[in-house]
Amino acid sequence: VNLGGEDTNDDGIADIDIQVIVTIDDANLSLKSDGFVGEVSGAAALNVPGFASSLSGLSVRINTTGDPSDTGIPANSIRVVADGASINILGQTLSGNFAFEQITGQLSPQAPPNAVPPKTVRIAASDVRFFLGDSTAGSEAGVKFGRDAPGGGGSGFFVLTSTGLAGRLNGFVDVMIPGGNADFEGDFSVAINTSLEPVGEQFEVGGKSVNLVLPGGPYLRVEGTGINLSIAGQRVGGDFIFEQAEGNI
């Protein structure tokens, strides 16, 4: 399955090169007059700019027709769901549940005869966890995203463009400092942009409008707004950003 691989600009380069190579274990497809609808399960290897992994236990939900199916699969869509997956982004391993979705849009009445319909590719993530820093047992130093308890990971949304992956995760963050004399309190999020370009996107998720605005990258950073820092009996308030580059924070 190749999500978003068309060259709509006629420049010889695919707009979004998102290859999902699936090994099928089971399939249930229904043939319609204008396409087919169904679900395929198995394993897959993903290839996205700045984002790659091998996944097992996933499902692919497909509807090539112009009508939504009675199973809840949107019209003209491909959705790949991977639960309990581990994915590498810019050298960092994120574990969690991920859903990849491509929806083919409508052409405007003014579009030329051979125009290709626009495609939207987005990713929803839940129960996401990762660690930035030194995870050596007994001397951990860094930023831990997500609680250890079941369902304690973060959640968020991503979009894919011709230049890479961008998105934001929200969740619990534990700043681990050797000695245990420091503490962070506040709301944290994780911003990711694998491309050099800034991102400004809006889409519908669960009936709600979601805005994603990020500066150009590449980076993976933990951001805290209105944070209270307690260290050695002193308290400091402000906004903090933790970003890993070349092995350091």
Side-chain angles (χ1 to χ4, degrees):
V1 179
N2 187 337
L3 303 185
E6 282 79 8
D7 175 19
T8 60
N9 298 321
D10 294 327
D11 57 3
I13 302 174
D15 297 330
I16 311 173
D17 186 14
I18 312 163
Q19 295 178 340
V20 183
I21 303 172
V22 179
T23 301
I24 298 174
D25 294 329
D26 187 41
N28 184 7
L29 302 173
S30 298
L31 184 63
K32 308 290 184 179
S33 61
D34 58 343
F36 62 90
V37 179
E39 185 169 344
V40 176
S41 62
L46 277 69
N47 180 21
V48 176
F51 181 103
S53 188
S54 295
L55 308 174
S56 61
L58 60 79
S59 65
V60 181
R61 307 180 73 198
I62 305 171
N63 184 355
T64 65
T65 74
D67 295 321
S69 73
D70 54 10
T71 60
I73 305 175
N76 298 310
S77 70
I78 300 176
R79 183 177 179 86
V80 180
V81 179
D83 292 334
S86 294
I87 294 178
N88 185 280
I89 302 176
L90 295 176
Q92 301 301 318
T93 299
L94 281 69
S95 63
N97 306 320
F98 303 89
F100 306 79
E101 185 174 64
Q102 171 185 281
I103 296 178
T104 302
Q106 300 294 322
L107 287 172
S108 69
Q110 293 77 30
N114 295 324
V116 177
K119 292 185 178 181
T120 299
V121 180
R122 60 197 182 204
I123 301 172
S126 64
D127 201 18
V128 177
R129 297 173 173 85
F130 68 88
F131 185 85
L132 293 176
D134 183 1
S135 59
T136 302
S139 60
E140 293 91 344
V143 180
K144 181 180 179 181
F145 185 82
R147 292 183 173 89
D148 292 331
S155 61
F157 301 97
F158 303 85
V159 294
L160 291 163
T161 70
S162 59
T163 56
L165 171 77
R168 186 178 294 276
L169 288 169
N170 298 292
F172 172 80
V173 171
D174 182 12
V175 180
M176 307 176 72
I177 299 177
N181 295 320
D183 180 51
F184 277 99
E185 296 178 348
D187 296 323
F188 287 87
S189 67
V190 179
I192 300 169
N193 190 350
T194 68
S195 75
L196 298 174
E197 301 298 324
V199 174
E201 296 285 344
Q202 183 182 66
F203 48 88
E204 292 289 325
V205 178
K208 297 182 178 179
S209 179
V210 177
N211 292 297
L212 181 63
V213 179
L214 293 171
Y219 55 78
L220 188 157
R221 61 169 67 120
V222 178
E223 302 175 344
T225 303
I227 305 303
N228 292 317
L229 168 63
S230 300
I231 184 168
Q234 304 298 315
R235 295 180 63 87
V236 179
D239 299 337
F240 296 85
I241 295 177
F242 304 87
E243 181 173 346
Q244 179 161 328
E246 299 182 357
N248 297 315
I249 294 182

